[in-house]
Amino acid sequence: DRWHKSNRLETLKKHGFNKNAIISDIIRGFAEQIFVTGFIHCDPHPGNIFVRPDPKNPKKHQVVILDFGLCIDISDKFRQ
């Protein structure tokens, strides 16, 4: 009950999560994968992206990305 699919907007709102902040964190997370680390999760759908209360501060959210079975490494040249 503490993990919620990222596309369940009414549930996220009911738990006091800010959808714009969640969207921003998801985008930031994938942008970091693409532009910083070069290790990219290639299956980003709501079944693999969950939101839960942050264990360190339950009033805030934490985005959790699951299932890293389909990932790629991109070269630094391509990444840059």
Side-chain angles (χ1 to χ4, degrees):
D1 183 57
R2 297 177 47 91
W3 291 57
H4 312 286
K5 287 186 178 182
S6 59
N7 67 339
R8 306 283 190 205
L9 300 180
E10 289 302 317
T11 301
L12 296 174
K13 184 178 179 181
K14 182 177 113 181
H15 285 22
F17 296 132
N18 179 313
K19 74 174 181 176
N20 291 331
I22 292 168
I23 292 166
S24 180
D25 286 349
I26 291 170
I27 291 169
R28 187 177 301 113
F30 280 93
E32 183 171 331
Q33 290 177 39
I34 295 166
F35 300 112
V36 178
T37 68
F39 183 75
I40 304 169
H41 185 290
C42 297
D43 194 18
H45 59 79
N48 285 339
I49 304 172
F50 284 76
V51 180
R52 69 177 184 175
D54 186 327
K56 295 179 184 175
N57 183 353
K59 293 183 180 188
K60 293 187 177 186
H61 73 270
Q62 184 180 59
V63 173
V64 180
I65 302 172
L66 304 173
D67 189 6
F68 281 81
L70 183 58
C71 296
I72 60 169
D73 280 308
I74 58 174
S75 69
D76 286 341
K77 181 178 179 182
F78 183 81
R79 183 180 52 80
Q80 293 171 358

